[in-house]
Amino acid sequence: MKNVLKTLLALTFSLPLNAQEIKVFIWEHFISEEIINEFTQKTGHTVKQYFFDSEVDRNALLMNGQGIRYDLVLVDNATAKRYGETGVLAVLPTIEIDNLQNNSLKSRESCGQYGVPYSTGTMGIAYRSSIAKKKVDSWNDIITPADEHIGTTMMLKDDLDTVAVALLAQGFDPFSNNKNELKSAYALLKAQSQYLLGYGYPLSYVDEQKSASKLTLSVIYSGDIFNLKQATGQNDWTYVVPKEGTLLFIDCLAAPGGKPITEATKTFLSFINEPTVAYKNASEMWFSTTNEAAKLIADDDYKNDSEISPNAEVINRSEYYKIISDEDLVIRNRMVSILNIQE
């Protein structure tokens, strides 16, 4: 009993007296619980995750000033710059955060002064190979799904991504501001609604439905197949980047403006950018890390996975996210907000 008390006392006094909780607003299945536990054991600080399943909803929350509920929010690089320049996101004191130099120059430039690089990847299509009767290799395969996928297809509901799918399907620039092209994209999306199971983030749906999931086809992000398989028990999920090209994202951890950035938050950002930690986190969650030092110690299975490490051919026919005008963003928001499932 005395030894137990000694151990408890030693642990108590080894942790900081000012231990804090870090609140992170993020996609589900995007930070390893094991990594979070290691961080708590090492520092005494805790991390609590809050999940969004729609970038539209996340952005609305940020714009309404509700971002101050959280210490960190995951955003794409274009959102980081747009919201950073308007004060919605804070300038991160990067000089006080260790290990940031481990991230690629491209990712650091993309996130800029308003975010810390976290992940990179592609948007694509996931489908069940045992259900599909023909090859899935085009955005048109999800705009007008084959008979076997009618009523079992999900579509993202996002200002940029949803409209980009419809534009890419027609061979247009995914960031087009051409009114006729946008009208054509909306017509496709409206017609698509009759075939859908629902709108939203597919991982949120399968997490709720588990093996009862009806999903067979969906727009998804690279790395998510692992979690689809795990949640449903269905091992026939396949990921493909459509032949028309796709969007390449760089996700950044950003801090909401209007509140101080805590020492615990800085410590956490430094911790997850340590190479061994970054690799363990990315390999357990199966996403492509921006941390170049982590990639140097990765195993061959991770390095050679085409889903999370697209080859030059895929990258050359794809585009990184970029900022569009406020007017074009409003148009896209209106297009997406009125989409509904047609019974």
Side-chain angles (χ1 to χ4, degrees):
M1 184 64 179
K2 288 182 179 179
N3 289 335
V4 172
L5 288 173
K6 287 180 180 178
T7 301
L8 290 173
L9 286 170
L11 179 61
T12 300
F13 288 110
S14 66
L15 298 178
L17 296 177
N18 61 339
Q20 299 171 326
E21 180 181 73
I22 306 159
K23 297 178 180 179
V24 182
F25 198 32
I26 195 168
W27 294 111
E28 200 162 358
H29 299 298
F30 222 37
I31 298 180
S32 162
E33 287 292 342
E34 189 171 340
I35 291 299
I36 288 175
N37 291 337
E38 286 182 15
F39 174 71
T40 298
Q41 291 171 7
K42 181 177 181 179
T43 67
H45 302 306
T46 57
V47 177
K48 186 171 183 179
Q49 297 185 71
Y50 298 83
F51 305 119
F52 57 82
D53 61 9
S54 163
E55 292 185 347
V56 173
D57 293 341
R58 179 206 62 198
N59 292 350
L61 181 143
L62 290 173
M63 289 300 293
N64 289 335
Q66 299 302 307
I68 59 173
R69 301 177 188 175
Y70 310 104
D71 298 293
L72 292 171
V73 180
L74 188 80
V75 296
D76 62 81
N77 58 288
T79 300
K81 185 175 182 181
R82 175 185 293 276
Y83 286 5
E85 290 178 347
T86 59
V88 173
L89 299 177
V91 174
L92 286 172
T94 53
I95 196 170
E96 299 178 45
I97 301 173
D98 296 331
N99 301 314
L100 293 191
Q101 72 281 0
N102 292 328
N103 291 289
S104 68
L105 178 60
K106 172 67 178 178
S107 67
R108 283 182 278 139
E109 290 177 344
S110 296
C111 291
Q113 60 182 328
Y114 304 111
V116 171
Y118 185 72
S119 65
T120 185
T122 56
M123 178 176 70
I125 296 175
Y127 68 96
R128 292 192 62 190
S129 58
S130 67
I131 302 294
K133 296 180 181 179
K134 69 181 187 71
K135 185 178 181 180
V136 175
D137 65 355
S138 168
W139 288 117
N140 287 292
D141 293 328
I142 201 158
I143 293 292
T144 308
D147 290 346
E148 62 268 26
H149 299 300
I150 291 177
T152 59
T153 295
M154 284 195 74
M155 184 67 173
L156 297 173
K157 201 166 188 180
D158 173 78
D159 295 348
L160 289 178
D161 296 351
T162 303
V163 179
V165 168
L167 288 169
L168 286 165
Q170 300 173 87
F172 298 145
D173 180 345
F175 301 103
S176 173
N177 61 1
N178 182 287
K179 299 299 187 293
N180 289 328
E181 292 179 358
L182 290 170
K183 286 179 181 178
S184 181
Y186 175 70
L188 284 186
L189 293 171
K190 187 176 180 181
Q192 179 200 40
S193 63
Q194 65 187 301
Y195 307 121
L196 297 178
L197 170 66
Y199 290 100
Y201 186 43
L203 291 190
S204 297
Y205 169 78
V206 297
D207 274 344
E208 182 178 336
Q209 297 296 322
K210 304 297 184 184
S211 60
S213 166
K214 297 179 181 179
L215 187 67
T216 64
L217 181 72
S218 183
V219 179
I220 204 167
Y221 302 108
S222 56
D224 284 345
I225 291 290
F226 173 82
N227 292 307
L228 270 180
K229 292 178 179 179
Q230 192 172 53
T232 62
Q234 301 158 348
N235 293 316
D236 59 337
W237 281 102
T238 300
Y239 179 79
V240 61
V241 174
K243 59 188 178 184
E244 299 89 355
T246 191
L247 299 183
L248 296 160
F249 65 82
I250 293 176
D251 280 335
C252 320
L253 284 168
K259 62 181 293 185
I261 301 170
T262 66
E263 288 301 318
T265 299
K266 297 175 190 176
T267 301
F268 179 67
L269 290 171
S270 298
F271 175 77
I272 62 172
N273 276 288
E274 292 177 7
T276 55
V277 174
Y279 171 54
K280 184 175 181 180
N281 186 36
S283 59
E284 286 187 9
M285 296 293 97
W286 208 247
F287 65 79
S288 182
T289 179
T290 56
N291 194 302
E292 294 295 304
K295 292 178 181 179
L296 292 175
I297 58 176
D299 63 25
D300 288 341
D301 286 343
Y302 183 87
K303 290 178 181 177
N304 298 328
D305 187 274
S306 60
E307 181 190 346
I308 59 174
S309 299
N311 59 33
E313 187 273 329
V314 170
I315 293 174
N316 289 339
R317 58 187 167 92
S318 304
E319 285 194 50
Y320 280 99
Y321 282 80
K322 61 184 180 183
I323 293 178
I324 61 175
S325 71
D326 290 343
E327 179 186 359
D328 290 337
L329 192 61
V330 168
I331 291 172
R332 281 166 163 76
N333 181 266
R334 288 174 179 168
M335 289 169 61
V336 171
S337 63
I338 58 179
L339 291 173
N340 290 295
I341 301 299
Q342 295 182 18
E343 300 295 340

